[in-house]
Amino acid sequence: NEYISTNFLSMAKDQEYSKYLQNKISYDADFLHDTIFPLFIDSLVDLCNDYFGNYLVQKIIEKCNKSEFKILFNTVSNFNSRY
């Protein structure tokens, strides 16, 4: 998990690592909630605009809980209101 914490953004933008993260999220909810989501939220807009990162964003949206979804929504809304 330390490797992921340090290299999350580059992993999310890499085809193979993005697939790995998507698969791990699919069967390990704690991994999503405890490890990925806190790292992900700061990179949300960047990942939305990346080819492989976008697939990870879609998987996170599919698997996140309601409170995480609200954070996602607010992050995107705040980003859009600045531009």
Side-chain angles (χ1 to χ4, degrees), residues 25 28-38 60 63-64 68:
I25 286 168
D28 188 348
D30 290 337
F31 178 71
L32 169 60
H33 306 306
D34 300 336
T35 304
I36 295 298
F37 196 83
I60 290 171
K63 296 294 183 178
C64 70
E68 291 167 336

Side-chain angles (χ1 to χ4, degrees), residues 29-47:
D30 290 337
F31 178 71
L32 169 60
H33 306 306
D34 300 336
T35 304
I36 295 298
F37 196 83
L39 300 169
F40 161 78
I41 200 66
D42 291 333
S43 307
L44 174 62
V45 174
D46 189 17
L47 291 175

Side-chain angles (χ1 to χ4, degrees), residues 52-83:
F52 298 116
N54 189 275
Y55 287 110
L56 182 60
V57 171
Q58 292 175 51
K59 180 59 74 174
I60 290 171
I61 290 171
E62 176 185 320
K63 296 294 183 178
C64 70
N65 60 38
K66 287 182 181 182
S67 64
E68 291 167 336
F69 186 82
K70 287 179 184 178
I71 293 168
L72 288 170
F73 183 81
N74 288 333
T75 301
V76 172
S77 297
N78 290 336
F79 179 80
N80 285 333
S81 67
R82 287 185 272 156
Y83 296 96

Side-chain angles (χ1 to χ4, degrees), residues 3-54:
Y3 181 82
I4 293 171
S5 297
T6 311
N7 299 290
F8 173 72
L9 189 57
S10 61
M11 289 177 72
K13 292 181 173 186
D14 177 85
Q15 183 177 12
E16 294 304 316
Y17 280 122
S18 178
K19 285 181 186 177
Y20 166 77
L21 293 170
Q22 291 170 57
N23 287 334
K24 187 142 175 73
I25 286 168
S26 292
Y27 66 83
D28 188 348
D30 290 337
F31 178 71
L32 169 60
H33 306 306
D34 300 336
T35 304
I36 295 298
F37 196 83
L39 300 169
F40 161 78
I41 200 66
D42 291 333
S43 307
L44 174 62
V45 174
D46 189 17
L47 291 175
C48 284
N49 291 307
D50 180 78
Y51 187 78
F52 298 116
N54 189 275

